[in-house]
Amino acid sequence: MLSYKQNPDPSGLHSRRCMNRKKDKGFEICINNINFQRKSVIGYVELTIFPTVMNLNRIKLNSKQCRIYRVRVNDLEAPFIYNDPTLEVCHHESKQRNLNYFSSAYTAAVSAVDPDAGNGELSIKVPSELWKQGDEMKVMKVYIEFSLDQPKGGLHFVVPDVDGSMAERAAHVFSFGNQNSTRFWFPCVDSYSELCTWKLEFTVDASMVAVSCGDLVETVYTHDMRKKTFHYMLPIPTAAPNISLAVGPFEILVDPYMHEVTHFCLPQLLPLLKQTMSYLHEIFEFYEEILTCRYPYSCFKTVFVDEAYVQVSSYASMSIFSTNLLHSGMIIDQTPVTRRCLAQALAQQFFGCFISRMSWSDEWVLKGISGYIYGLYLKKTFGVNEYRHWIKEELDKIVEYELKMGGVLLHPTFSGGKEKDNPTPHLHFSIRHPHTLSWEYYKMFQCKAHLVMRLIENRISMEFMLQVFNKLLSLASTASSQKYQSHMWSQMLVSTSGFLKSISNVSGKDIGPLIKQWVDQSGVVKFFGSFAFNRKRNVLELEIRQDYTSSGTQKYVGPIKVTVQELDGSFNHTLQIEENSLKHDIPCHSKSRRNKKKKIPLMNGEEVDMDLSAMDADSPLLWIRIDPDMSILRKVEFEQADFMWQYQLRFERDVVAQEEAISALEIFPTPASRLALTDILEQDQCFYKVRIQACFCLAKIANSMMSTWTGPPAMKSLFTRMFCCKSCPNIVKTNNFINFQSYFLQKTMPVAMALLRDVQNLCPKEVLNFILDLIKYNDNRKNKFSDNYYRAELIDALTNSLTPAISINNEVRTVDNLNTDVRLILEEITRFLNMEKLLPSYRNTITVSCLRAIRMLQKNGHIPSDPSLFKSYAQYGHFVDVRIAALEAVIDYTRVDRSSSELQWLLDLVQNDPVHYIRHEILSMLAKNPPFTKAADSLLCNEALVDQLWKLMNSGTCHDWRLRCDAVNLYYTLFGLTRPSCLPLPELGLVLNLKEKKAVLNPTIKSEQGPGGPEVTTTMCTVIFFDFCQFPTQEEEDIDMDTVHDSQAFIYHHLNMLERPSTPGKEPSSVEQAMLSMPGTPMPTLSKESTSSKHGDHHHHHHHHEHKKKKKKHKHKHKHKHKHESKDKDRDSHAFSNSPASGRSIRSPSLSD
Amino acid sequence: MADSVVMGSGSFNSGSRSGSSKTSTSPTENYQLARRRTLQVVVSSLLTECGFESAEKVAVETLTEMMQSYITEVGRCAKATCEHTARSTPTLSDVVVTLVEMGFNVDTLPVYAKRSQRMVITAPPVTNAPVVPKALMAGQKRTHPSYIPGHFPEFPDPHTYIKTPTFREPVSDYQVVREKAASQRRDVERALTRFMAKTGETQSLFKDDISAFPLISAKPSAIPYLSALLPSELELQSLEETDSSEQDDQTDTENNPSHIIQDDQSADKENVVLPPGGVVPTGKANEENMIDNPYLRPVKKPKVRRKK
């Protein structure tokens, strides 16, 4: 076993609590036994620690759900305590149900076990014999025996229920998790900043292969020859979260181009693996070339597993993929998707696995760089058009998210850990830890990170950018070969400041403002542009306004590029956006329309003939683009005339400009727009994604022009010309998908056509028959590609053609009153769905489309609404895509029919389904298509549901960080931040008026009590406080007051205790009893109550506050402060009849004073 | 026990016979009815003989049926026995053997036949024997060639053994071909799925008419990804049929040069990356069998000292 060690405290976070400082080491993990039958694992870990402080008497490690049998330190038995506050975030007796309360408690709980702060669930007391030794800073070896029984997180067992040995059943197990999740399967320091070298040993059945990080040194049979032990060595210092394991009866494929790369897949899938992996070497080559750096590990392994947690997860020298990424050579659509996944995984090998991060707030650098180089790969492999399209897509995504949810902050700083300084008060979760983050936010975070890297590239040039990466990598690889004592390992951790320093060293440029704008600050920019042409001055008067007040926006000051296409050519102008200047005058180069015959030069040097008859005779302007290079994270709403958009669509060569023009043309339903779009559609030199977008725009325009539309339905003649037989135009040619562009177009056009509507708002009969004919004459026999995606999209087209049924008196839907067109559609769907059982399509795409179609038929009232079909397809044992589609339908049904039993069924599935991805998807789909929201009353919204969801996020999801955040998200969507309105009023009658710094009884109660009230109240405070002070006596012995976070947890715990009605066991003072029983008396009137019933939380909070003052360490978190005030106002105005009181109090404005 | 079995099979036979006779013409029916009536009389007289004074019609009918079955069976078995000995007309001994086989004690028969109280039953009325309809004749039957004796059976109708060529101009019109292929495939698919739906469990979209659009019910499988990811045999087959040779050519020419270059590079890579103490790459890895990958190495035997 290797024992090197480490280092000066890299992150700086550690200095806070030196008492617990331990420094790891080499790490040895040995898993002796993996039992697939029982789904259990037995093993031990041994870590070598170099104490960096004197008197190391306590070692804190991360460990979740492991059963720990014994702990020995240097061969001496060591006592240990296990305390995991994240198991149950709020005490279960707590009646608190508001999300603010939960979020802060959850953040505190995660902080309390945060390894970066020197915390952990497992606290090992160093035997006193060794204290002396510790003083001399000697090495310590900690040996922990542990087992895992049916783990709910960290490791996932897939054991198909068929006959045969485990290998024949393709049973396998693999590690998974969101961010730091290694603690779920072995005790470790679960931090990205704690590096150590690894020795890993896995003993598995002889028919299985254990794949893990590092080099496979040897494989040895056990004595009985029935098992094998795989010995791995990872000499490159690696953080525990980057360690993984996969065990199963894998088929092994050594990459034919790179023999040190090995691929693993489940039995029978080897042909697919060969096909899928045939281009991996290109990705390797590409990254090594641009980074001018060899792949850092000596080997690389890819493992494809079933029931994967995410599609791609990267670990040191290996990646685990979903088996559903595998495809045969006949599949078109999946190929680029899989290639992208491989490229992502490989990019993360360099930045993410090899180079790790100092702290969570530096995560953006890793995600940014890996995303950025992945983008470069896209550009090289799929072309500039695809790349720019992708950048635009990502930009649109992040802009949409930030404008909707509020800003995404890349580099949050938490000065001194004060919760008051919450940098993102608009969010319902804390961004302090990766584990408190909503999954969607994290995805957007990654998206923004790579976009910002691109902005940096724009600023300093790609050459410098790559030099910076190369520098980071070469420093890291030099460091990685050093011994621990050299204190070099911190070079393998990237930090924001280090990264910025490299940039300024390499490029000599100051990118401070850029970083401040996009990294240290959240939000995007929202521009509104319009212009006027001043003929006299021959000047373009451009007005650019900004909206920087709405949520998720920020103000931009700085340069902006504007491109103006004039008759004489295209000209770039750089304008300065300043505080108060909205108008910019741009001189035009060309006089209007002097040389009518002349060709018009474009930006790229091309010269084209244009029909200029559409344009304004007085103006030389063809079109104007604002920020054409997307060098600001922005949304631009620009106003220009329809003919300008049409010119831009036809003649601007940038795909982003074309796409912008298409979306702008949607509001100009004119024959000219129609012509422009049709021309684009026909042009096979045009980027296919632009043409696809043009299809949908054309459908929209056609619908707006319905009354004046002439000729056959939009796109029909075009489709006929492109894809149908010359001799018989009603019959489609036999499939030949050799040209992918036209394949994608052929797939999309029917889908878009089906969106056409006639005057009765029905899909024209002609179109429907056309689609039915396409299905009928579809012939794939001569095609070397599978047509499953094409057929699936034809079903989607049928779905799109559906319109609501005309219903008389809500009659029951029967076969007899089925509309004839719908009958035809239904027949096709029935046949497709049944054929799929006999000849399943790749990824069951056809079943997925059929399920969607059936749901659409139900929703439009053509067939009776019934979730049972979907429920049967949602069962465990169907292909995951099918399950998701079925669940989506059930969720939609739940919303439309307000079915509490289906909602219950879904929530049961969230708790019990074996596949983590399904659980996650159910919650996120529920949040996207919620059965009700906080804005509207619903019968579904009841106390039981609140309790169930609360329980789910409080304790039911403790094994999966992602799932817990999903549950929080759903809770937020359904009930908002404050106490759910369906809950009965809280029971206590006490209110703290913090402005006046005194407690008063709820006025309604006081009136009954008479004049004695105020005194009693004061007494009660004291009593409870007294109670609070006797803390360590009873249940709390194991709480460690040494650390900030533990004491926070402790406080929360006590807060919860206070909330319980007076506990019989304790010696209650008479006053306390009197006080607590008071609320039991019935509340007189609800209406008065609402104005003043802010009791419970204020009260506890007050104590919390006092306690904090005493300890002078803790500050309560005050996120949502400002926002909340306004929310309260809103709330006052409506829906107050049964308003909950408590939600408001914890964020009471007065408290912030 | 044996009796009941015989009677059971007998009634089955007669049942099938009466079933087939239903299609025959009315003279045949009359003929058979007359026989049946006689049989009924026989049964009734036997009953009377046994001392019954009256019987329900159903009972008589049942006994008649049994009687008829019995007699039929006797006849059938006697015929079989006789044919077994290569004769065509049953003799008494055939009948006796049959009766013995059917568990009847033949010795009691003469005594029974000579019993005093037996009743004499009149012969059934004479009706016309049924006319056997002539088999359909098509074409001229071949006469026997000289070397076949005349008493051998005649040749069957020629259409039963001679190939009759029928020929129609194949449809070459593209539209019709496509039309036909499409509708044929659709019909096959529909018939197949309907069959599957009828023979297995189904799910329905309508509550009022479960059979309207039957969907073969969704059955979870233990390893769902296999069927979803692997191409079906049909697809593989059709892929082979389509110009696979052309495809192979393409990939071959594309891959070969780069393959060699790759190998060189990867060999270099190994040299650089692997630590000196690590595995020494086995020269140029051009030969496939020289691939050195830890996962391909043989598993080592446990060390002896590991023994307790």
Side-chain angles (χ1 to χ4, degrees), chain B residues 141-167:
Chain B
K141 278 185 183 169
R142 258 177 82 181
T143 51
H144 284 158
S146 54
Y147 50 84
I148 294 181
H151 62 269
F152 271 59
E154 288 180 332
F155 274 105
D157 284 355
H159 74 271
T160 58
Y161 63 96
I162 291 175
K163 185 172 82 179
T164 326
T166 62
F167 182 75

Side-chain angles (χ1 to χ4, degrees), chain A residues 218-219 221 223 232 257 259 262 285 301 306 732 776-778 784 814 828 831 834 842-843 872 877, chain B residues 178-179 185-186 189 203 208 214 216 221-222 225 228 231 235 239 247 262-263 266 293 295 300 307:
Chain A
E218 57 177 0
T219 317
Y221 277 117
H223 188 63
Y232 283 92
Y257 301 99
H259 295 165
T262 321
E285 264 169 54
K301 287 138 288 183
D306 189 26
V732 67
K776 183 178 168 192
Y777 292 116
N778 177 47
K784 71 173 183 177
T814 57
E828 294 299 336
R831 193 169 53 85
N834 284 339
Y842 178 71
R843 292 195 76 149
S872 73
Chain B
R178 287 292 302 275
E179 174 83 48
R185 199 198 49 200
R186 170 177 301 223
E189 284 184 8
Q203 286 162 311
D208 58 326
I216 302 173
S221 84
Y225 59 85
E235 279 178 302
L239 188 70
Q247 218 180 331
Q262 274 311 309
D263 280 347
S266 58
N293 182 290
Y295 294 94
K300 292 182 183 166
K307 277 187 179 174

